[in-house]
Amino acid sequence: CMNIQFPFIGREKEIARLRQLHKERRHVLILGVEGIGKSALVEHLRESFDLRVCPTSERLSEICDALECSLGLEANGLELVKRKNRLLKSLKEAKRAVVVFDGTSWTTPKLGTFIENVSMCVPVWLCARSEHPWDIGRIWPLLVRFEHVELKPFHPKEIQKLVTASVRDHIVPEKTLGIVDWLH
């Protein structure tokens, strides 16, 4: 499987809103269909903010691994409960950090409780495809505390900019410029 890095284009309105919500230390739910660019948006914002990103948010052990790595902690054979408690303590001390749970979907009660506990320490951003209780699971009741930022599909002009930048960066062939409308 090839991992192609396309240039980051557009999303100015969403970026401005996320900048304001970050400044206000608010919890955020970033919504959008698969492949719309939620992860790319978060990665782009990492350049400006202290975002502690959990690239996968399905298993508590993977979340602990990602957060420990970003906080410079090692598991050292600790039980999961001790790891969670140590992470929560470290996050309380990480004054400007925001924790991003990317790929948030069905959450179990244990995972939901952990995310809720993290949200009591620092702002939390969730990246998800849906906000419906049957899709998101245990964290659904928490969403009343979250600002929603929805990523919509690109307009034709944004697709044109993306393809032009991708041709410039030699990611796609120049003849791709002739099928921008079809791509949209």
Side-chain angles (χ1 to χ4, degrees):
C1 180
M2 284 184 8
N3 186 11
I4 299 172
Q5 294 289 73
F6 287 100
F8 190 85
I9 300 291
R11 305 284 186 217
E12 287 85 6
K13 187 170 86 174
E14 293 87 350
I15 290 171
R17 179 127 190 265
L18 287 168
R19 285 188 190 285
Q20 183 61 38
L21 293 170
H22 181 271
K23 182 178 177 182
E24 296 170 6
R25 310 285 295 151
R26 300 294 306 264
H27 300 304
V28 178
L29 174 63
I30 301 172
L31 281 170
V33 298
E34 179 181 6
I36 199 79
K38 299 177 294 290
S39 299
L41 177 61
V42 166
E43 193 58 37
H44 179 72
L45 290 172
R46 274 180 113 164
E47 298 170 9
S48 305
F49 304 138
D50 183 11
L51 301 180
R52 308 303 171 113
V53 179
C54 300
T56 178
S57 300
E58 295 173 2
R59 295 184 41 214
L60 192 51
S61 61
E62 293 170 342
I63 290 171
C64 287
D65 290 343
L67 289 176
E68 286 167 339
C69 181
S70 76
L71 292 166
L73 303 172
E74 293 185 28
N76 293 333
L78 291 175
E79 296 173 359
L80 193 55
V81 172
K82 290 183 180 181
R83 291 172 70 193
K84 285 187 332 185
N85 292 336
R86 183 178 63 165
L87 279 170
L88 291 171
K89 184 176 184 257
S90 294
L91 287 170
K92 284 179 185 175
E93 296 166 2
K95 303 276 188 225
R96 300 302 307 159
V98 170
V99 174
V100 179
F101 295 98
D102 200 359
T104 307
S105 59
W106 181 259
T107 52
T108 63
K110 183 167 61 171
L111 183 55
T113 300
F114 179 71
I115 291 172
E116 182 174 13
N117 288 336
V118 171
S119 76
M120 292 180 198
C121 300
V122 294
V124 166
W125 291 6
L126 303 171
C127 297
R129 295 180 188 162
S130 171
E131 62 186 320
H132 300 296
W134 53 86
D135 290 329
I136 207 153
R138 167 65 175 79
I139 59 170
W140 181 76
L142 300 178
L143 297 184
V144 297
R145 299 183 354 222
F146 283 68
E147 296 293 327
H148 293 204
V149 174
E150 186 173 354
L151 300 186
K152 306 249 188 220
F154 278 152
H155 293 289
K157 287 181 181 178
E158 292 166 317
I159 295 287
Q160 179 69 47
K161 286 181 185 177
L162 177 61
V163 171
T164 300
S166 298
V167 167
R168 180 198 65 226
D169 293 348
H170 305 289
I171 297 169
V172 297
E174 191 170 340
K175 51 186 162 175
T176 308
L177 290 169
I179 61 167
V180 170
D181 290 336
W182 177 82
L183 288 170
H184 182 260

